[in-house]
Amino acid sequence: MMGWIRDLFPIHRSLSGPGTVETLNYIHNLLPQLTLHKVPSGKKAFDWTVPNEWTFREAWIETADGEPIVDVADHNLHILGYSEPIDAEMDLEELDRHLYSLPERPDAIPFVTSYYKRRWGFCLPHTKRRALRPGRYRVRIDADLKPGHLTYGELILPGETTDEVLLSTYVCHPSMANNEVTGPAMAMALGRWLAGRDRRMTYRILFLVETIGSIIYLSQHLETMQARTKAGFVLTCLGDDRTWSFMPSRLGGTLADRVSTHVLDHAVGDYDRYTFLERGSDERQYCSPGVNLPVASIMRSKYATYPEYHTSDDDLDLVSADALAQSFEVYRRVIEAIEANRTYRNVFPGEPKLDARGLYPDLSTAESGLTVRAMMNVIAYADGHHDLLSIAEIIGEDVLVCAEIAEKLVAGGVLEPVKHGDRNTVSGDLHNQD
Amino acid sequence: MMGWIRDLFPIHRSLSGPGTVETLNYIHNLLPQLTLHKVPSGKKAFDWTVPNEWTFREAWIETADGEPIVDVADHNLHILGYSEPIDAEMDLEELDRHLYSLPERPDAIPFVTSYYKRRWGFCLPHTKRRALRPGRYRVRIDADLKPGHLTYGELILPGETTDEVLLSTYVCHPSMANNEVTGPAMAMALGRWLAGRDRRMTYRILFLVETIGSIIYLSQHLETMQARTKAGFVLTCLGDDRTWSFMPSRLGGTLADRVSTHVLDHAVGDYDRYTFLERGSDERQYCSPGVNLPVASIMRSKYATYPEYHTSDDDLDLVSADALAQSFEVYRRVIEAIEANRTYRNVFPGEPKLDARGLYPDLSTAESGLTVRAMMNVIAYADGHHDLLSIAEIIGEDVLVCAEIAEKLVAGGVLEPVKHGDRNTVSGDLHNQD
Amino acid sequence: MMGWIRDLFPIHRSLSGPGTVETLNYIHNLLPQLTLHKVPSGKKAFDWTVPNEWTFREAWIETADGEPIVDVADHNLHILGYSEPIDAEMDLEELDRHLYSLPERPDAIPFVTSYYKRRWGFCLPHTKRRALRPGRYRVRIDADLKPGHLTYGELILPGETTDEVLLSTYVCHPSMANNEVTGPAMAMALGRWLAGRDRRMTYRILFLVETIGSIIYLSQHLETMQARTKAGFVLTCLGDDRTWSFMPSRLGGTLADRVSTHVLDHAVGDYDRYTFLERGSDERQYCSPGVNLPVASIMRSKYATYPEYHTSDDDLDLVSADALAQSFEVYRRVIEAIEANRTYRNVFPGEPKLDARGLYPDLSTAESGLTVRAMMNVIAYADGHHDLLSIAEIIGEDVLVCAEIAEKLVAGGVLEPVKHGDRNTVSGDLHNQD
């Protein structure tokens, strides 16, 4: 993943325009099943309208006598995202009204955009801004802001059932690492792994621009997603190694929430639990009242909580191959848990005769009972009402261990999976949307 | 309110009789919409019968040689409430069987009544009782206890809907302040304020004698009140400044409970939460199993918990204009919250485009998101299922702040109120009685 | 009970065979209503098959020169339960493969069985085993393991209703006290007491061999028991005085759970609460998914938690008449509580006029209210929805005190019991199985 991250980091992404398209093409090369979709400017999506496409070429400030002050060629964050073009000379006083900097982090370039109100501007370190001397400055932004398209990537990996898992990430921030390129890198890694394995669930993996991208996508697929999505995850902030974070769905208790906290409890142990009031990425759209999908997010350092967030300091030094590998492992377990989360019921009333089925030690002593406890406990709650995740929580075992046990018990003729829609069957994820 | 309280304090109230009628007439002068109702002695009400009317004129004890010992002209509490008449001479030994005093509060006159068993008696400070010398005493009680009427006052302030808020207080204790006259004074103040404002809810404000008064009233209006009452409050003990108290409804969780604790949490902070097992006023009737109205009570020092309770020490020194004003403000917020407690839903799936509607800052920075958090949080839970009070509790904001936000969002075309009875609508107060 | 325990202790019980039959005959002599049932070997029961009957006669080990080493005549636990017959000479090395001992409790004989795999073996103190010298040993086990019967005892005590309470105990461990003979002794004592009193509930009292016995019984009576059983208890480990233990049902919250914790809270105070994950007796069958009866267990020191468990140290010194009497008293209260656990509702809306019904002091003072609190609190929650146990929990009173109050209130015309199946009636034990 580090290679992909290094490739994607320098590309000048925004809501639209060549940088985002280049990013999606890069991903397409590595995930051939990905399809790219273009939506024209002006198209309505719920309460929103697709904005004009922004094609950025170059932008700089120099003094009247040609001394360079700021050049976006040096760092993509120097330009206010979606700036309109300008080519003019002005006094410092006027120029300063178009400058953005962070007094509390004076050496970093902040990330600022103005997608929906026409403006122009430059972002720069606060120290540099304060050093500007009064006088005349030449300002040039060579960019188009005109009708075009907004592009997104969609990868559907069909499974045995149409029950879906949503993995959504975003490709709209230029040159930031933890809070940008780790998301698509993780989605690519999970997509490639999922493409090569048997799948019970269908996977919908989306590479969108944040907010307007997910709103457009939802406006095109709302009913299908509401009918099919069993769990979804926003992939973001997955590359630093300082902590683990969990963002629940709006009301909590969905399969996405349950499997996330289970895997974090068993595979990670200690993590920061946020509330939905601290949301900030596309769960804002997926969990909104009229959409209401079961979408959560497992992250490392959560957006808007770490000091480098939304500045030029969120760079490649902040992320590591180890941290990414750990994050992949956690999401792999999340997906394995969802794949394994069947509901089982006992074939026989009473405990089964495990020894006759080669599943039990045949000599009873005071101690021998303990060795088959986990197996007996899975059996004790396999009542056709508790899904495997509920059972794992009740009996205090990792759900993937329970899954191995359950499959052994099915093979031994002791348990049988309950078919979706069977009479008297209540799945454990009662809070789910379907 | 202090003026009303000073006027009402000296009146000799009881379950019935001229003092109670005088009190209701005083209230009627200040609340012209009030109607007075008379119920004849002997009338049945559920398991009860309206008792005879008690007309008290005078009562005293003197020594055989005419030295005055106790005279009700000095303090209304000197008479055992509902005493039958007597005019006799007797030894101290016999007299003492008719005296009531509090050894643990020896300088106070206790409040004692015998409404339903014929008795006569006097109440006096324990020190005074112990100082009585053996000898003959003359005892005179000039009072009638004969068929007549029991009177109550009722004020209905109609609103846009027939959904009702009940405010109930009592007018049956002679010359006590916190545990008597602060209740009717608060009901008058709230009634006058409500009479002069727009009302979504209908208000039923009752001035009753405790227990038998509410039982009579319920026996006359039970079905209507059960069908319409969304929240009710017993107004009592509202004038001292030592603490705040909350008495929940019988099962808790009603709109009355929810709004009370919300307002106390936000406007007061620290307060004593009692359980329904510590009830003592007319919630005993309103919440009884066959009535089961959503009635709670916010008080200052709760009856039966403060040392002056039910004695002559519960006097005007115990209450203050400041404490009454704070109590009024809390009940005003309770009522504003109930008025504002609509259920809303988003017009659009996904987050609305607030800037296009003039509701959002158009420049996105790392910080600007915080300033519109409360607005976004109201939107996030306005799903047609959570009432505004539920939303306020989830997002940790004052419900009155949420109400301002919600109205702004309705005006901006982003939210719409859900009409009562709409399909798929679950109001937040599921525990309510209707 | 101590006399019965002393009589039953020495009998050589197992899953089947003469010792178990002798035990059941002893019980039958004391409980004439008991019926004994025989099930033939080879009979199928759910996933199980009734094993051959084991008739043990004698077994011993001696050295080649006739020195006795182990003789089951000295202690029943010396034989591996269900050993097949043998009569052979062998080296210590071979013999040792058939010996069982406990290094961590070296002076005790462990209890070991091999019901379903043919083996032979001896159990002995670890010290004795380690002292065996190399050489030749003569081993003799005179026992039959051949088709026969498995026997159990069943006592049905009909009540006014067909709603049932299950009391189940086991008769399959040879010569152990707390974890064997205290169970049947308690079942006999409760059965004799119940036989002599009025019963609202029907009682099903079972004397079974553990596991296979309850599975056979369930396979014969499953539908009836599922339809009728309101609460059940496994009677075991009731004779030591070191602690109290509670084993809940599989999902908890049944009448058996609720009444157990209520009685333990009020009659015992401090006790060890286990989870169903720590189960070990016939609740394994009664609570299994396809059976799902509301069965819990109140014990003293729970099986598998005390050091003498399943060894020769679990002897008569471990149990006392006092401890048994306390255990009887707790189960007596459990049964009285179930008998009393009706659902009542008020005859009148509002509080009843208790004084007119001779149920209330007629003089009202600040203190007198407290004396009738419990009565008023029972009335306040007798709403036709809460059963008496729920009311007792809400108001913090012993349910047997509440039962006395409720009966007085019924006699006084204030409450009436709600008939099973009445409209609007929700019994408190919603989690029950029927």
Side-chain angles (χ1 to χ4, degrees), chain B residues 86-104:
Chain B
I86 190 168
D87 191 343
E89 241 188 66
M90 61 191 73
D91 285 336
L92 175 59
E93 195 183 347
E94 188 185 347
L95 172 62
D96 194 67
R97 285 199 295 275
H98 297 270
L99 299 184
Y100 301 91
S101 64
L102 289 172
E104 68 276 20

Side-chain angles (χ1 to χ4, degrees), chain C residues 352-417:
Chain C
K353 188 80 176 68
L354 293 183
D355 52 355
R357 299 171 180 278
L359 296 163
Y360 197 86
D362 56 312
L363 180 75
S364 127
T365 65
E367 296 83 17
S368 68
L370 297 169
T371 61
V372 284
R373 273 283 163 191
M375 185 176 282
M376 297 312 295
N377 285 340
V378 168
I379 292 168
Y381 290 94
D383 54 9
H385 300 281
H386 292 84
D387 64 8
L388 201 64
L389 195 54
S390 307
I391 295 176
E393 287 286 321
I394 292 172
I395 74 175
E397 287 286 347
D398 190 304
V399 67
L400 299 181
V401 172
C402 294
E404 278 177 45
I405 292 172
E407 286 311 307
K408 201 178 295 181
L409 292 169
V410 169
V414 164
L415 296 189
E416 59 188 6

Side-chain angles (χ1 to χ4, degrees), chain A residues 342-345 347 384 406-407 410 415-420 422:
Chain A
R342 283 184 172 81
T343 300
Y344 297 92
R345 84 177 137 220
V347 173
E407 286 312 307
V410 168
L415 296 189
E416 58 189 6
V418 172
K419 283 206 196 67
H420 236 55
D422 270 13

Side-chain angles (χ1 to χ4, degrees), chain A residues 346 348-353 355 357 362-365 367 373 376-377 379-383 386 394-395, chain C residues 46-48 100 102 104 112-114 116-117 119 215 222 250-251 276-279 284-285 288-291:
Chain A
N346 278 262
F348 304 100
E351 290 183 338
K353 189 79 177 69
D355 53 354
R357 298 169 181 279
D362 57 312
L363 180 75
S364 127
T365 65
E367 294 83 18
R373 272 283 163 190
M376 296 312 295
N377 284 341
I379 292 169
Y381 290 94
D383 53 10
H386 292 84
I394 292 172
I395 75 175
Chain C
F46 299 146
D47 196 29
W48 297 63
Y100 301 91
L102 289 172
E104 68 276 20
V112 191
T113 66
S114 182
Y116 298 99
K117 173 152 183 180
R119 279 199 181 89
I215 284 170
L222 183 59
R250 187 169 65 97
L251 297 175
F276 191 69
L277 304 182
E278 297 157 291
R279 69 198 176 282
R284 293 168 56 176
Q285 313 312 324
S288 65
V291 175

Side-chain angles (χ1 to χ4, degrees), chain C residues 126-139:
Chain C
H126 196 63
T127 46
K128 194 162 192 177
R129 181 182 184 184
R130 290 184 56 182
L132 293 179
R133 280 161 313 196
R136 298 292 287 174
Y137 288 86
R138 169 115 190 272
V139 174

Side-chain angles (χ1 to χ4, degrees), chain C residues 129-151:
Chain C
R129 181 182 184 184
R130 290 184 56 182
L132 293 179
R133 280 161 313 196
R136 298 292 287 174
Y137 288 86
R138 169 115 190 272
V139 174
R140 179 172 159 79
I141 297 176
D142 180 9
D144 289 337
L145 192 50
K146 58 185 185 189
H149 291 87
L150 188 146
T151 313

